[in-house]
Coordinates of all heavy atoms in Angstrom, one line a residue:
M241 N 0.9 -1.2 0.0 CA 0.0 0.1 0.0 C 0.8 1.3 0.1 O 1.9 1.4 0.7 CB -0.9 0.0 1.2 CG -2.0 1.0 1.3 SD -3.2 0.6 2.5 CE -4.6 0.7 1.5
N242 N 0.6 2.3 -0.7 CA 1.3 3.5 -0.8 C 0.7 4.6 0.0 O -0.3 5.1 -0.1 CB 1.3 3.9 -2.4 CG 2.1 5.1 -2.6 OD1 2.6 5.8 -1.7 ND2 2.4 5.5 -3.8
Y243 N 1.4 4.8 1.3 CA 0.9 5.8 2.2 C 1.0 7.2 1.7 O 0.4 8.0 2.2 CB 1.6 5.5 3.5 CG 1.3 4.2 4.2 CD1 2.2 3.2 4.2 CD2 0.0 4.0 4.7 CE1 1.8 1.9 4.7 CE2 -0.4 2.9 5.3 CZ 0.6 1.8 5.4 OH 0.3 0.6 5.9
G244 N 1.9 7.5 0.8 CA 2.0 8.8 0.3 C 1.0 9.2 -0.5 O 0.3 10.4 -0.3
S245 N 0.3 8.3 -1.2 CA -1.0 8.6 -2.1 C -2.2 8.9 -1.1 O -3.0 9.6 -1.4 CB -1.2 7.4 -3.0 OG -0.2 7.3 -4.0
L246 N -2.2 8.2 -0.1 CA -3.3 8.2 0.8 C -3.3 9.4 1.6 O -4.2 10.2 1.8 CB -3.3 7.0 1.9 CG -3.6 5.6 1.5 CD1 -3.6 4.6 2.5 CD2 -5.1 5.7 0.9
K247 N -2.0 10.0 1.9 CA -1.8 11.3 2.7 C -2.3 12.4 1.7 O -2.9 13.3 2.1 CB -0.5 11.5 3.1 CG -0.1 10.7 4.3 CD 1.4 11.1 4.8 CE 1.8 10.5 6.1 NZ 3.2 10.7 6.3
L248 N -1.8 12.2 0.4 CA -2.2 13.3 -0.6 C -3.7 13.3 -0.8 O -4.4 14.3 -0.7 CB -1.5 13.0 -1.9 CG -1.8 14.0 -3.0 CD1 -1.4 15.5 -2.6 CD2 -1.1 13.5 -4.4
A249 N -4.4 12.1 -0.8 CA -5.9 12.1 -1.1 C -6.5 12.7 0.1 O -7.4 13.5 0.0 CB -6.3 10.6 -1.2
A250 N -6.0 12.6 1.4 CA -6.6 13.0 2.5 C -6.5 14.6 2.6 O -7.3 15.3 3.0 CB -6.0 12.4 3.8
L251 N -5.4 15.1 2.2 CA -5.1 16.5 2.1 C -6.0 17.2 1.2 O -6.5 18.2 1.4 CB -3.6 16.9 1.8 CG -2.6 16.6 3.0 CD1 -1.2 16.6 2.5 CD2 -2.9 17.5 4.1
L252 N -6.1 16.5 0.0 CA -7.0 17.1 -1.1 C -8.4 17.1 -0.7 O -9.1 18.1 -0.7 CB -6.8 16.5 -2.5 CG -5.6 16.6 -3.1 CD1 -5.5 15.7 -4.4 CD2 -5.4 18.0 -3.5
T253 N -8.9 16.2 0.0 CA -10.3 16.0 0.5 C -10.5 17.1 1.6 O -11.6 17.8 1.6 CB -10.6 14.5 1.2 OG1 -10.3 13.6 0.1 CG2 -11.9 14.5 1.7
A254 N -9.5 17.3 2.5 CA -9.6 18.3 3.4 C -9.7 19.7 2.8 O -10.4 20.6 3.2 CB -8.6 18.3 4.5
A255 N -8.8 19.9 1.8 CA -8.8 21.3 1.1 C -10.2 21.5 0.5 O -10.7 22.7 0.5 CB -7.6 21.2 0.1
V256 N -10.7 20.6 -0.2 CA -12.0 20.8 -0.8 C -13.1 21.0 0.2 O -13.9 21.9 0.0 CB -12.4 19.5 -1.7 CG1 -13.8 19.7 -2.2 CG2 -11.4 19.5 -2.9
A257 N -13.0 20.3 1.3 CA -14.1 20.5 2.3 C -14.0 21.8 2.9 O -15.1 22.5 3.3 CB -13.9 19.3 3.4
M258 N -12.9 22.4 3.1 CA -12.7 23.7 3.6 C -13.0 24.8 2.6 O -13.6 25.9 2.9 CB -11.2 23.9 4.0 CG -10.9 23.1 5.2 SD -9.2 23.2 5.7 CE -8.9 24.9 6.0
T259 N -12.9 24.6 1.4 CA -13.1 25.4 0.2 C -14.6 25.7 -0.1 O -15.1 26.8 -0.2 CB -12.3 25.2 -1.0 OG1 -11.0 25.1 -0.7 CG2 -12.6 26.2 -2.1
V260 N -15.4 24.6 -0.1 CA -16.7 24.7 -0.4 C -17.6 25.6 0.4 O -18.2 26.5 -0.1 CB -17.4 23.1 -0.6 CG1 -18.9 23.3 -0.7 CG2 -16.8 22.5 -1.7
P261 N -17.5 25.4 1.7 CA -18.2 26.4 2.6 C -17.9 27.8 2.5 O -18.6 28.7 2.6 CB -17.9 26.0 4.1 CG -17.5 24.6 3.9 CD -16.8 24.3 2.6
S262 N -16.6 28.2 2.3 CA -16.2 29.4 1.9 C -16.6 30.0 0.7 O -17.0 31.1 0.6 CB -14.6 29.7 2.1 OG -14.1 28.9 0.9
L263 N -16.8 29.1 -0.4 CA -17.5 29.6 -1.5 C -18.9 30.0 -1.4 O -19.5 30.9 -1.9 CB -17.4 28.6 -2.6 CG -15.9 28.4 -3.3 CD1 -16.0 27.2 -4.2 CD2 -15.5 29.6 -4.0
L264 N -19.5 29.1 -0.6 CA -21.1 29.4 -0.3 C -21.1 30.6 0.4 O -22.0 31.5 0.3 CB -21.6 28.2 0.5 CG -21.7 26.9 -0.4 CD1 -22.3 25.9 0.5 CD2 -22.5 27.0 -1.6
L265 N -20.3 30.8 1.4 CA -20.4 32.1 2.2 C -20.0 33.3 1.3 O -20.7 34.4 1.5 CB -19.2 32.1 3.3 CG -19.1 33.3 4.3 CD1 -20.4 33.6 5.0 CD2 -18.0 33.2 5.1
S266 N -19.2 33.3 0.4 CA -18.9 34.4 -0.6 C -20.1 34.6 -1.5 O -20.5 35.7 -1.6 CB -17.6 34.0 -1.5 OG -16.5 33.9 -0.7
A267 N -20.7 33.6 -1.9 CA -22.0 33.8 -2.7 C -23.0 34.5 -1.9 O -23.7 35.4 -2.4 CB -22.4 32.4 -3.3
G268 N -23.1 34.0 -0.7 CA -24.2 34.7 0.2 C -23.8 36.1 0.6 O -24.6 37.0 0.5
A269 N -22.6 36.5 0.7 CA -22.3 37.9 1.0 C -22.4 38.7 -0.2 O -22.9 39.8 -0.1 CB -20.7 37.9 1.4
K270 N -22.1 38.2 -1.4 CA -22.5 38.9 -2.6 C -23.9 39.3 -2.7 O -24.4 40.3 -3.1 CB -22.0 38.2 -3.8 CG -20.5 38.2 -4.0 CD -20.0 37.6 -5.3 CE -18.5 37.5 -5.4 NZ -18.0 36.7 -6.4
E271 N -24.8 38.3 -2.4 CA -26.2 38.4 -2.4 C -26.6 39.4 -1.6 O -27.4 40.4 -1.9 CB -26.9 37.0 -2.0 CG -28.4 37.1 -2.4 CD -28.8 37.0 -3.8 OE1 -28.0 36.5 -4.6 OE2 -29.8 37.6 -4.1
Q272 N -26.1 39.6 -0.3 CA -26.5 40.5 0.7 C -26.1 42.0 0.3 O -26.6 42.9 0.7 CB -26.0 40.1 1.9 CG -26.8 38.9 2.6 CD -26.2 38.5 4.0 OE1 -25.1 39.0 4.3 NE2 -26.8 37.6 4.5
S273 N -25.0 42.0 -0.5 CA -24.3 43.3 -0.8 C -24.9 44.0 -2.0 O -24.4 44.9 -2.4 CB -22.8 43.2 -0.9 OG -22.5 42.5 -2.0
R274 N -26.0 43.3 -2.7 CA -26.5 44.0 -3.7 C -27.2 45.3 -3.5 O -27.8 45.4 -2.4 CB -27.7 43.1 -4.3 CG -27.1 42.0 -5.2 CD -28.4 41.4 -5.9 NE -27.8 40.4 -6.8 CZ -28.6 39.5 -7.4 NH1 -29.9 39.4 -7.1 NH2 -28.0 38.7 -8.3
K275 N -26.9 46.3 -4.3 CA -27.3 47.6 -4.0 C -28.9 47.6 -4.2 O -29.4 47.1 -5.3 CB -26.6 48.7 -4.9 CG -25.2 48.8 -4.5 CD -24.5 49.8 -5.4 CE -23.1 50.0 -5.0 NZ -22.4 50.8 -6.0
N276 N -29.6 48.3 -3.5 CA -31.0 48.6 -3.7 C -31.4 50.0 -3.1 O -30.9 50.4 -2.1 CB -31.8 47.6 -2.9 CG -32.0 46.3 -3.8 OD1 -32.4 46.3 -4.7 ND2 -31.7 45.1 -3.1
G277 N -32.3 50.6 -3.7 CA -32.7 52.0 -3.4 C -31.8 53.1 -3.9 O -31.0 52.9 -4.8
F278 N -31.9 54.1 -3.2 CA -31.1 55.4 -3.6 C -29.7 55.2 -3.0 O -29.6 55.0 -1.8 CB -31.8 56.8 -3.0 CG -33.2 57.0 -3.7 CD1 -34.3 56.5 -3.2 CD2 -33.3 57.4 -4.9 CE1 -35.5 56.7 -3.7 CE2 -34.5 57.7 -5.5 CZ -35.6 57.3 -4.9
I279 N -28.7 55.6 -3.8 CA -27.4 55.6 -3.4 C -26.8 57.0 -3.7 O -26.8 57.4 -4.9 CB -26.5 54.4 -4.1 CG1 -27.0 53.2 -3.8 CG2 -25.0 54.5 -3.6 CD1 -27.2 52.5 -2.5
K280 N -26.3 57.6 -2.6 CA -25.7 58.9 -2.8 C -24.1 58.9 -2.9 O -23.6 58.3 -1.9 CB -26.2 60.0 -1.7 CG -25.8 61.3 -2.0 CD -26.5 62.2 -0.9 CE -26.2 63.7 -1.2 NZ -27.0 64.6 -0.5
T281 N -23.6 59.5 -4.0 CA -22.1 59.5 -4.1 C -21.7 61.0 -4.2 O -22.5 61.9 -4.3 CB -21.7 58.6 -5.3 OG1 -22.1 59.4 -6.4 CG2 -22.2 57.4 -5.2
K282 N -20.5 61.1 -4.4 CA -19.8 62.5 -4.7 C -20.4 63.0 -6.0 O -20.5 64.3 -6.2 CB -18.4 62.5 -4.7 CG -17.7 62.2 -3.3 CD -16.2 62.2 -3.4 CE -15.7 61.9 -1.9 NZ -14.2 61.8 -2.0
K283 N -20.7 62.1 -7.0 CA -20.9 62.4 -8.3 C -22.5 62.8 -8.4 O -23.0 63.4 -9.4 CB -20.6 61.4 -9.4 CG -19.2 61.4 -9.4 CD -18.8 60.3 -10.6 CE -17.3 60.2 -10.8 NZ -17.1 59.3 -11.8
G284 N -23.3 62.2 -7.4 CA -24.8 62.4 -7.6 C -25.5 61.2 -6.9 O -24.9 60.5 -6.2
I285 N -26.8 61.2 -7.1 CA -27.6 60.2 -6.5 C -28.1 59.2 -7.7 O -28.4 59.7 -8.6 CB -28.9 60.8 -5.8 CG1 -28.4 61.9 -4.8 CG2 -29.9 59.7 -5.3 CD1 -29.7 62.8 -4.3
Y286 N -28.0 58.0 -7.3 CA -28.4 56.8 -8.1 C -29.4 56.0 -7.6 O -29.5 55.9 -6.4 CB -27.1 56.0 -8.5 CG -26.0 56.8 -9.1 CD1 -25.1 57.5 -8.3 CD2 -25.7 56.8 -10.5 CE1 -24.1 58.3 -8.9 CE2 -24.8 57.6 -11.1 CZ -23.9 58.2 -10.2 OH -22.9 58.9 -10.7
Y287 N -30.2 55.2 -8.4 CA -31.3 54.3 -7.9 C -30.8 52.9 -8.6 O -30.7 52.8 -9.7 CB -32.6 54.8 -8.4 CG -33.6 53.9 -7.7 CD1 -34.1 54.0 -6.5 CD2 -34.2 52.8 -8.6 CE1 -35.1 53.2 -6.0 CE2 -35.1 52.0 -7.9 CZ -35.5 52.2 -6.7 OH -36.4 51.3 -6.1
Y288 N -30.9 51.9 -7.5 CA -30.5 50.6 -8.0 C -31.8 49.8 -7.4 O -32.5 49.9 -6.4 CB -29.4 50.1 -7.1 CG -28.1 50.7 -7.6 CD1 -27.8 51.9 -7.2 CD2 -27.3 49.9 -8.6 CE1 -26.4 52.4 -7.6 CE2 -26.1 50.5 -8.9 CZ -25.6 51.6 -8.5 OH -24.4 52.2 -8.9
K289 N -32.0 48.8 -8.2 CA -33.0 47.7 -7.9 C -32.4 46.3 -8.1 O -31.9 46.0 -9.3 CB -34.3 47.8 -8.7 CG -35.4 46.9 -8.2 CD -36.7 47.1 -9.0 CE -37.7 46.1 -8.3 NZ -38.9 46.1 -9.0
D290 N -32.4 45.4 -7.1 CA -31.7 44.1 -7.3 C -30.3 44.3 -7.8 O -29.8 43.5 -8.7 CB -32.5 43.3 -8.1 CG -33.9 42.9 -7.6 OD1 -34.0 42.9 -6.3 OD2 -34.8 42.8 -8.3
G291 N -29.4 45.3 -7.5 CA -28.1 45.4 -8.0 C -28.0 46.2 -9.3 O -26.9 46.3 -9.8
K292 N -29.0 46.5 -9.9 CA -29.0 47.0 -11.3 C -29.3 48.5 -11.2 O -30.4 48.9 -10.7 CB -30.0 46.3 -12.3 CG -29.4 44.8 -12.5 CD -30.3 44.2 -13.5 CE -29.9 42.7 -13.6 NZ -30.7 42.1 -14.6
M293 N -28.4 49.4 -11.8 CA -28.8 50.8 -11.8 C -29.8 51.1 -12.8 O -29.7 50.6 -14.0 CB -27.3 51.5 -12.2 CG -27.5 52.9 -12.1 SD -26.0 53.8 -12.8 CE -24.8 53.2 -11.8
L294 N -30.6 52.1 -12.4 CA -31.6 52.5 -13.4 C -30.9 53.6 -14.3 O -30.3 54.4 -13.8 CB -32.7 53.2 -12.5 CG -34.0 53.7 -13.3 CD1 -34.9 52.6 -13.9 CD2 -34.8 54.5 -12.3
R295 N -31.3 53.4 -15.6 CA -30.6 54.4 -16.6 C -31.6 54.8 -17.5 O -32.3 53.9 -18.1 CB -29.5 53.7 -17.3 CG -28.3 53.4 -16.5 CD -27.3 52.6 -17.3 NE -26.2 52.0 -16.5 CZ -25.1 52.7 -16.3 NH1 -24.7 53.9 -17.0 NH2 -24.0 52.1 -15.6
S296 N -31.6 56.1 -17.9 CA -32.4 56.6 -19.1 C -33.8 56.2 -18.8 O -34.6 55.7 -19.7 CB -32.0 56.2 -20.4 OG -30.7 56.6 -20.7
A297 N -34.4 56.3 -17.7 CA -35.7 55.8 -17.3 C -36.3 56.6 -16.2 O -35.7 57.1 -15.3 CB -35.7 54.4 -17.1
W298 N -37.7 56.6 -16.1 CA -38.4 57.2 -14.9 C -38.6 56.2 -13.9 O -38.7 55.0 -14.0 CB -39.8 57.6 -15.4 CG -39.8 58.9 -16.2 CD1 -39.9 58.9 -17.6 CD2 -39.9 60.2 -15.7 NE1 -39.8 60.3 -18.0 CE2 -40.0 61.1 -16.8 CE3 -39.8 60.7 -14.5 CZ2 -40.0 62.5 -16.7 CZ3 -39.9 62.1 -14.4 CH2 -39.9 63.0 -15.6
L299 N -38.4 56.7 -12.7 CA -38.8 55.9 -11.4 C -40.2 56.2 -11.0 O -40.5 57.4 -10.7 CB -37.8 56.1 -10.4 CG -38.0 55.5 -9.0 CD1 -38.1 53.9 -9.2 CD2 -37.0 55.8 -8.0
V300 N -41.1 55.3 -11.1 CA -42.5 55.7 -10.8 C -42.7 55.1 -9.3 O -42.4 54.0 -8.8 CB -43.4 54.9 -11.8 CG1 -44.9 55.1 -11.4 CG2 -43.1 55.3 -13.2
V301 N -43.2 56.1 -8.6 CA -43.6 55.9 -7.2 C -45.0 56.1 -7.0 O -45.6 57.3 -7.4 CB -42.7 56.7 -6.2 CG1 -43.1 56.6 -4.8 CG2 -41.2 56.5 -6.5
K302 N -45.8 55.2 -6.5 CA -47.3 55.4 -6.2 C -48.0 55.7 -7.5 O -48.8 56.7 -7.5 CB -47.6 56.3 -5.1 CG -47.0 55.9 -3.8 CD -47.4 56.8 -2.7 CE -46.7 56.4 -1.3 NZ -47.1 57.3 -0.3
G303 N -47.5 55.0 -8.6 CA -48.2 55.4 -10.0 C -47.9 56.7 -10.6 O -48.4 57.0 -11.6
E304 N -46.9 57.4 -10.0 CA -46.7 58.8 -10.7 C -45.1 58.7 -10.9 O -44.3 58.4 -10.1 CB -47.0 59.8 -9.8 CG -48.4 60.0 -9.6 CD -48.8 61.2 -8.8 OE1 -48.0 62.2 -8.6 OE2 -50.0 61.2 -8.2
R305 N -44.7 59.5 -12.0 CA -43.3 59.6 -12.2 C -42.7 60.6 -11.3 O -43.3 61.7 -11.0 CB -43.1 60.2 -13.7 CG -43.4 59.4 -14.8 CD -43.4 60.2 -16.1 NE -43.5 59.4 -17.2 CZ -43.5 59.7 -18.4 NH1 -43.4 61.1 -18.7 NH2 -43.6 59.0 -19.4
Q306 N -41.8 60.3 -10.5 CA -41.1 61.2 -9.4 C -39.6 61.4 -9.7 O -39.3 62.4 -9.1 CB -41.5 60.6 -8.1 CG -43.0 60.6 -7.8 CD -43.3 60.4 -6.4 OE1 -42.5 60.6 -5.5 NE2 -44.5 60.2 -6.0
Y307 N -39.0 60.5 -10.3 CA -37.4 60.7 -10.5 C -37.2 60.2 -11.9 O -37.8 59.4 -12.3 CB -36.7 59.8 -9.5 CG -37.0 60.1 -8.0 CD1 -38.0 59.5 -7.3 CD2 -36.3 61.0 -7.4 CE1 -38.3 59.7 -6.1 CE2 -36.5 61.3 -6.0 CZ -37.6 60.6 -5.4 OH -37.8 60.8 -4.0
Y308 N -36.0 60.9 -12.4 CA -35.7 60.5 -13.7 C -34.2 60.2 -13.7 O -33.5 61.0 -13.3 CB -35.8 61.5 -14.8 CG -35.4 61.0 -16.1 CD1 -36.3 60.1 -16.8 CD2 -34.3 61.5 -16.7 CE1 -35.9 59.7 -18.2 CE2 -33.9 61.1 -17.9 CZ -34.6 60.2 -18.7 OH -34.3 59.6 -19.8
A309 N -33.7 58.9 -14.0 CA -32.4 58.6 -14.1 C -31.9 58.9 -15.4 O -32.4 58.4 -16.4 CB -32.2 57.1 -13.7
R310 N -30.8 59.7 -15.5 CA -30.3 60.1 -16.8 C -29.4 58.8 -17.4 O -29.4 57.7 -16.9 CB -29.2 61.2 -16.6 CG -29.8 62.4 -15.9 CD -29.0 63.4 -15.4 NE -27.9 63.8 -16.2 CZ -27.9 65.0 -16.9 NH1 -28.8 65.9 -16.7 NH2 -27.1 65.2 -17.7
H311 N -28.8 59.0 -18.6 CA -28.1 57.9 -19.4 C -27.1 57.4 -18.5 O -26.7 56.2 -18.6 CB -27.7 58.4 -20.7 CG -26.5 59.4 -20.6 ND1 -26.8 60.7 -20.2 CD2 -25.2 59.2 -20.6 CE1 -25.6 61.3 -20.2 NE2 -24.6 60.4 -20.5
D312 N -26.3 58.1 -17.6 CA -25.2 57.6 -16.8 C -25.7 57.1 -15.4 O -24.9 56.8 -14.7 CB -24.2 58.8 -16.6 CG -24.7 59.9 -15.8 OD1 -25.9 60.0 -15.5 OD2 -23.9 60.9 -15.7
G313 N -27.1 57.2 -15.2 CA -27.7 56.6 -14.0 C -27.9 57.6 -12.9 O -28.6 57.5 -12.0
R314 N -27.3 58.8 -13.0 CA -27.5 59.9 -12.1 C -28.9 60.4 -12.1 O -29.4 60.6 -13.3 CB -26.5 61.0 -12.3 CG -25.1 60.8 -11.8 CD -24.2 62.0 -12.0 NE -24.1 62.5 -13.3 CZ -24.4 63.7 -13.7 NH1 -24.5 64.7 -12.9 NH2 -24.2 64.0 -15.0
L315 N -29.5 60.6 -11.1 CA -30.7 61.2 -11.0 C -30.8 62.7 -11.5 O -29.7 63.4 -11.2 CB -31.4 61.2 -9.7 CG -31.8 59.8 -9.1 CD1 -32.6 60.0 -7.7 CD2 -32.6 59.0 -10.0
A316 N -31.7 63.0 -12.3 CA -31.8 64.4 -12.7 C -32.0 65.3 -11.6 O -32.7 65.2 -10.7 CB -32.9 64.6 -13.8
V317 N -31.3 66.5 -11.6 CA -31.5 67.6 -10.6 C -31.6 68.9 -11.5 O -31.1 69.0 -12.6 CB -30.5 67.6 -9.6 CG1 -30.5 66.5 -8.7 CG2 -29.1 68.0 -10.1
G318 N -32.3 69.9 -11.0 CA -32.6 71.2 -11.6 C -33.4 71.0 -12.8 O -34.4 70.1 -12.9
K319 N -33.3 71.9 -13.7 CA -34.1 71.9 -15.0 C -33.4 71.1 -16.1 O -32.2 71.2 -16.3 CB -34.2 73.3 -15.5 CG -35.1 74.4 -14.5 CD -35.2 75.6 -15.1 CE -36.0 76.5 -14.1 NZ -36.1 77.8 -14.5
I320 N -34.4 70.3 -16.7 CA -33.8 69.2 -17.8 C -35.0 69.1 -18.8 O -36.1 69.2 -18.4 CB -33.3 68.0 -17.1 CG1 -32.7 67.1 -18.1 CG2 -34.5 67.2 -16.4 CD1 -31.9 65.9 -17.6
V321 N -34.5 68.8 -20.0 CA -35.5 68.6 -21.1 C -35.4 67.1 -21.4 O -34.3 66.5 -21.7 CB -35.3 69.3 -22.4 CG1 -36.2 69.0 -23.5 CG2 -35.3 70.9 -21.9
I322 N -36.6 66.4 -21.2 CA -36.6 65.0 -21.5 C -37.7 64.8 -22.6 O -38.9 65.1 -22.5 CB -37.1 64.1 -20.2 CG1 -36.1 64.5 -19.0 CG2 -37.2 62.6 -20.6 CD1 -36.6 63.9 -17.8
N323 N -37.2 64.2 -23.7 CA -38.1 64.1 -24.9 C -38.9 65.2 -25.4 O -39.9 65.3 -25.7 CB -39.0 62.8 -24.7 CG -38.3 61.5 -24.6 OD1 -37.3 61.2 -25.1 ND2 -38.8 60.7 -23.8
G324 N -38.2 66.5 -25.3 CA -38.8 67.7 -25.8 C -39.5 68.3 -24.7 O -40.2 69.3 -25.0
K325 N -39.7 67.7 -23.6 CA -40.6 68.4 -22.4 C -39.7 68.8 -21.3 O -38.8 68.0 -20.9 CB -41.6 67.5 -22.1 CG -42.6 68.1 -21.0 CD -43.8 67.1 -20.8 CE -44.7 67.8 -19.8 NZ -45.9 67.0 -19.3
A326 N -39.9 70.1 -20.8 CA -39.2 70.6 -19.7 C -39.6 70.0 -18.4 O -40.9 70.1 -18.2 CB -39.0 72.1 -19.8
Y327 N -38.7 69.7 -17.5 CA -39.0 69.3 -16.1 C -38.1 69.9 -15.1 O -36.9 70.4 -15.5 CB -38.9 67.8 -16.1 CG -39.8 66.9 -16.8 CD1 -39.4 66.7 -18.2 CD2 -41.1 66.5 -16.3 CE1 -40.3 65.8 -19.0 CE2 -42.0 65.7 -17.2 CZ -41.6 65.4 -18.4 OH -42.4 64.7 -19.2
E328 N -38.5 70.1 -13.9 CA -37.6 70.5 -12.8 C -37.7 69.7 -11.7 O -38.8 69.1 -11.3 CB -38.2 71.9 -12.4 CG -37.0 72.6 -11.5 CD -37.4 74.0 -11.2 OE1 -38.3 74.6 -11.7 OE2 -36.7 74.7 -10.5
F329 N -36.5 69.4 -11.2 CA -36.2 68.4 -10.2 C -35.5 69.1 -8.9 O -34.7 69.9 -9.1 CB -35.4 67.2 -10.6 CG -35.9 66.4 -11.7 CD1 -35.8 66.7 -13.1 CD2 -36.8 65.3 -11.5 CE1 -36.4 66.0 -14.1 CE2 -37.3 64.7 -12.5 CZ -37.1 64.9 -13.9
D330 N -35.8 68.6 -7.8 CA -35.2 69.3 -6.6 C -33.8 68.7 -6.5 O -33.2 67.9 -7.2 CB -35.9 69.2 -5.4 CG -36.2 67.8 -4.8 OD1 -35.3 66.8 -5.2 OD2 -37.0 67.6 -3.9
E331 N -33.1 69.1 -5.4 CA -31.6 68.6 -5.2 C -31.5 67.2 -4.8 O -30.4 66.6 -5.0 CB -30.9 69.6 -4.2 CG -31.6 69.4 -2.7 CD -32.9 70.1 -2.4 OE1 -33.3 71.0 -3.3 OE2 -33.3 70.0 -1.2
N332 N -32.6 66.6 -4.5 CA -32.6 65.1 -4.2 C -33.1 64.3 -5.5 O -33.3 63.1 -5.4 CB -33.5 64.7 -3.0 CG -32.8 65.4 -1.9 OD1 -31.6 65.2 -1.5 ND2 -33.6 66.1 -1.0
G333 N -33.3 65.1 -6.5 CA -33.8 64.3 -7.8 C -35.3 64.2 -7.9 O -35.8 63.5 -8.9
K334 N -36.0 64.6 -6.9 CA -37.5 64.5 -7.1 C -38.2 65.5 -7.9 O -37.9 66.8 -7.8 CB -38.1 64.5 -5.6 CG -39.6 64.2 -5.6 CD -40.2 63.9 -4.2 CE -41.6 63.5 -4.2 NZ -42.1 63.3 -3.1
L335 N -39.1 65.1 -8.8 CA -39.8 66.0 -9.6 C -40.6 67.1 -8.8 O -41.4 66.7 -7.8 CB -40.7 65.1 -10.6 CG -41.6 65.9 -11.7 CD1 -40.6 66.5 -12.6 CD2 -42.4 64.9 -12.3
K336 N -40.4 68.2 -9.2 CA -41.2 69.4 -8.6 C -42.7 69.6 -9.1 O -42.8 69.2 -10.2 CB -40.5 70.8 -8.7 CG -39.2 70.8 -7.8 CD -38.6 72.2 -8.0 CE -37.4 72.4 -7.1 NZ -36.9 73.7 -7.0

């Protein structure tokens, strides 16, 4: 019987057993760290849903358009023209 092969097999089994739970933990941590809601940065305010940034779209709240995410994802603030119509948003991106 080759004891060197048995030791190697035991070490590999132990290494796999230790790695699998850490991979599951990493996947769970990523799941929990998904961005959701409004995120304020130095560049502006962004809106995320299930980790995806809203871009070039209206955010509808209670059936009404209340925020607009520009092409780069930043919420519109101040006066802006969208599809030929003028809108005004407050400093938090909410439609006035």
